[in-house]
Amino acid sequence: MGLFRSGCEFMLVGLGNPGREYEKTRHNVGFRASELVAQALGVKIDRLKFQALTRQADYKGHRILLVQPQTYMNLSGAAVSALASYYKIPPARILVIFDDISLPLGRIRLRAEGSAGGHNGVKSIIQSLGSDQFPRVKIGVGAKPHPDFDLADWVLSKFSPREEELLAPALQNAADAALLFLDQGLQKAASAYNGK
């Protein structure tokens, strides 16, 4: 067990907004990808703890804490930092999956660390952890249709049926990349999935 309470070695965080009205919006792709990870691990993310739905799972000898903050996007850091503190999981072992409007729809990109890039959920996590040194999987949801389009309206908009077709493989790639990260580290996952 060593350093890890209950043996949790990694935290995998999918970002989104709680509530049925947000389910298929651009901002909720992190939730959707984390659900695919949970399916692959044969569990459901359904235990409420520290303002998040959580579930522990095992993957290739690693104990994983799956997390979906239930605080609304711009307060995501409260749940993440509370869980990180409770389970003593350092930022380098917290993988965050979220939407990125600067990537084309259906592309994913893994990064080891970095700024929030205008994403309120990531900004909240950086502030709450006091660090931007956590790995992340970004899922492209496409840019605003024109510069004057309100950003909040865009990320809270739903995908068209055609967009859903393009998104489906990206969600699966994001989930697969997360599992590869857990097993073989970020560099391997990034070289396998960046640009896909």
Side-chain angles (χ1 to χ4, degrees), residues 3-181:
L3 167 73
F4 307 108
R5 185 175 309 196
S6 308
C8 273
E9 196 180 338
F10 290 97
M11 190 190 310
L12 193 152
V13 182
L15 293 186
N17 285 307
R20 185 155 289 172
E21 67 271 35
Y22 297 111
E23 271 175 11
K24 294 287 175 93
T25 62
R26 291 170 203 279
H27 235 7
N28 271 41
V29 295
F31 274 7
R32 293 172 69 180
S34 65
E35 276 154 21
L36 291 175
V37 174
Q39 275 175 32
L41 299 177
V43 297
K44 272 199 157 86
I45 308 170
D46 59 3
R47 307 223 165 129
L48 194 60
K49 187 167 196 157
F50 294 117
Q51 297 181 285
L53 291 175
T54 70
R55 178 56 82 95
Q56 292 185 33
D58 291 302
Y59 182 65
K60 297 197 174 181
H62 302 292
R63 192 79 170 146
I64 318 300
L65 183 70
L66 299 169
V67 176
Q68 292 180 343
Q70 298 295 295
T71 52
Y72 290 100
M73 186 64 86
N74 59 358
L75 298 173
S76 299
V80 173
S81 64
L83 287 161
S85 171
Y86 181 79
Y87 288 103
K88 298 185 168 38
I89 302 173
R93 291 175 178 266
I94 300 172
L95 182 70
V96 182
I97 309 176
F98 60 95
D99 58 291
D100 189 333
I101 62 163
S102 66
L103 285 176
L105 177 67
R107 294 288 283 280
I108 72 167
R109 182 175 296 151
L110 283 78
R111 294 264 322 265
E113 84 297 292
S115 72
H119 192 288
N120 286 334
V122 178
K123 188 190 299 180
S124 173
I125 293 171
I126 290 170
Q127 286 171 345
S128 297
L129 290 177
S131 172
D132 65 0
Q133 302 292 298
F134 53 87
R136 62 228 32 204
V137 180
K138 305 174 179 190
I139 301 172
V141 296
K144 299 188 296 183
H146 54 80
D148 298 336
F149 202 99
D150 182 74
L151 179 59
D153 288 346
W154 178 242
V155 295
L156 295 177
S157 68
K158 303 201 174 191
F159 296 101
S160 70
R162 173 70 187 128
E163 286 176 321
E164 281 284 350
E165 283 175 29
L166 294 169
L167 180 68
L171 293 174
Q172 190 60 59
N173 284 337
D176 293 344
L179 291 170
L180 188 57
F181 160 78

